[in-house]
Structure formats: structure tokens, C-alpha cells
């Protein structure tokens, strides 16, 4: 009973400490009229969903043409895909997000950022900050795509570095991909 009370109090304190964050808003991309949810986390303003702009060279998982709400971008396309006033986050931006999300000390960073639904293999998170990270898979080529419901990897502006969440892992991991791999994009406000 004592341990449950301590956990409850830690969660309550973490929620209160981060109450000033989580400010949610919306942004309309003038290029296609799509409305994106945004969220402030640790002084940074992020898209609260993956970019879905049909930039030349981007594509949908497995080449799907209809109902594509999750687009994947090779690195060269990702570098120019965010709308005006937004940019591809740097490795430092992701590290700041990682450090901030890890300050609660109660949950793993991955579970704090993952959406509450949509992840295979019981990999759903708690979405403590409104980042709402959902799986989108990745593609080595237009025909070789994997892990649609179990993996999210987002490009950073730093050469070949991405940050990833996996359905069977509770962390938020930094990794590298070739520039031709197609990954998701999360934009951050300039």
C-alpha cells in the first residue's frame, strides 16, 4: 500500500510540475490546408502528430495512394518538408525532449511520449506530454517497408540521425539510417 501511495504522489507531483507545459494549439499548413495539433513541451513547440504533407519524393507506407495520413520522407525531402515557421528538429532538440520527458522519474521516456493507442504488441504508452507518438513504420525503399504498427522513427536535421520508438521497447532511442531510408517527420517551431 505504501509503495502505491508513493507512486501516486510522484505521478501527481510530476503532473503538477509539468502543468505549464502541454499547452495545445493548432497550426494550419497553408500549402495544403491540413490542420496539425501542436504542443509545448519543455519550452519547445512541436507538432503533436507526424507531418503528412505530400512533398515531392515523399510517399506512403508500402506505396498506398489512398487514405494516406502518414507520409514517409527520405532525408533530402525531410530537410525541406516542414512548413514556413517550422523546421526539422536537430539532434539537440530531440535530446532536450528526451531529457525533459525523463525528468518525471516515474515512467520511461518512450512510454511518456508514445500514444495511448495504436501500438502493436501491447506497446501503447501514456502520452504524458501530448506528443502523441504513433507508429508509422519505415521504408528502406518504396517496396521494402516494415513495422507499420510497431515502430516510429523521426528524422533529425543532424546528418543521418533519427530518434525512434518501438512497440516492445520503453525507451526513446537515437540511431542512424542511410539518407535514402524513408522515415517520419515531426516539425518543431523555429
Amino acid at each position: 500500500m505504501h509503495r502505491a501511495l508513493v507512486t501516486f504522489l510522484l505521478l501527481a507531483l510530476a503532473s503538477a510540475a509539468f502543468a505549464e507545459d502541454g499547452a495545445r494549439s493548432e497550426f494550419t499548413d497553408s500549402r495544403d490546408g491540413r490542420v496539425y495539433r501542436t504542443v509545448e513541451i519543455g519550452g519547445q513547440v512541436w507538432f503533436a502528430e507526424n507531418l503528412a504533407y505530400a512533398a515531392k519524393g515523399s510517399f506512403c507506407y508500402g506505396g498506398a495512394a489512398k487514405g494516406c495520413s502518414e507520409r514517409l520522407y527520405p532525408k533530402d525531402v525531410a530537410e525541406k518538408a516542414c512548413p514556413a515557421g517550422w523546421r526539422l528538429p536537430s539532434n539537440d532538440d530531440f535530446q532536450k525532449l528526451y531529457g525533459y520527458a525523463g525528468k518525471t522519474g516515474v515512467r520511461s521516456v518512450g512510454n511518456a511520449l508514445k500514444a495511448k493507442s495504436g501500438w502493436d504488441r501491447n506497446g501503447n504508452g501514456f502520452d504524458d506530454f501530448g506528443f502523441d507518438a504513433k507508429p508509422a513504420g519505415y521504408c528502406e525503399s518504396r517496396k521494402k517497408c516494415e513495422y507499420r504498427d510497431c515502430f516510429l522513427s523521426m528524422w533529425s536535421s543532424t546528418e543521418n540521425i533519427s530518434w525512434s520508438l518501438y512497440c516492445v521497447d520503453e525507451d526513446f532511442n537515437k540511431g542512424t539510417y542511410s539518407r535514402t531510408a524513408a522515415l517520419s517527420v515531426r516539425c518543431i517551431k523555429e
Side-chain angles (χ1 to χ4, degrees):
M1 176 91 169
H2 177 67
R3 176 178 259 176
L5 179 60
V6 169
T7 301
F8 173 78
L9 290 173
L10 285 172
L11 285 171
L13 287 171
S15 295
F18 298 106
E20 64 274 5
D21 278 324
R24 294 183 172 117
S25 189
E26 290 182 341
F27 168 79
T28 302
D29 189 339
S30 63
R31 301 172 297 180
D32 61 6
R34 183 177 170 94
V35 177
Y36 292 93
R37 293 173 291 111
T38 66
V39 64
E40 183 175 344
I41 305 170
Q44 299 174 308
V45 179
W46 291 84
F47 272 22
E49 55 192 294
N50 296 340
L51 184 67
Y53 177 66
K56 184 176 181 181
S58 67
F59 55 93
C60 291
Y61 184 98
K66 293 185 177 180
C68 179
S69 62
E70 296 284 347
R71 296 196 73 82
L72 300 173
Y73 304 81
K75 182 66 182 257
D76 292 343
V77 178
E79 291 172 332
K80 301 176 271 184
C82 290
W86 298 82
R87 63 179 171 76
L88 195 61
S90 68
N91 183 53
D92 289 343
D93 293 323
F94 278 114
Q95 286 180 327
K96 184 176 179 182
L97 175 65
Y98 183 97
Y100 190 81
K103 284 183 180 178
T104 66
V106 177
R107 300 196 205 285
S108 66
V109 175
N111 280 343
L113 297 174
K114 282 185 193 177
K116 294 178 182 179
S117 64
W119 291 86
D120 272 358
R121 302 181 195 168
N122 295 318
N124 295 326
F126 298 97
D127 195 23
D128 292 330
F129 303 98
F131 194 70
D132 201 28
K134 293 182 179 170
Y138 78 100
C139 299
E140 287 295 328
S141 69
R142 285 183 184 260
K143 294 183 180 179
K144 186 180 179 201
C145 299
E146 298 180 293
Y147 305 113
R148 183 179 196 162
D149 298 319
C150 194
F151 187 74
L152 172 65
S153 194
M154 300 165 281
W155 280 120
S156 81
S157 62
T158 308
E159 189 64 28
N160 295 353
I161 293 179
S162 67
W163 283 78
S164 303
L165 296 159
Y166 187 50
C167 64
V168 295
D169 188 354
E170 294 182 357
D171 208 354
F172 187 36
N173 301 299
K174 180 172 88 168
T176 59
Y177 280 93
S178 73
R179 293 181 66 85
T180 57
L183 310 177
S184 296
V185 166
R186 280 289 175 117
C187 300
I188 191 169
K189 195 169 184 65
E190 291 182 334

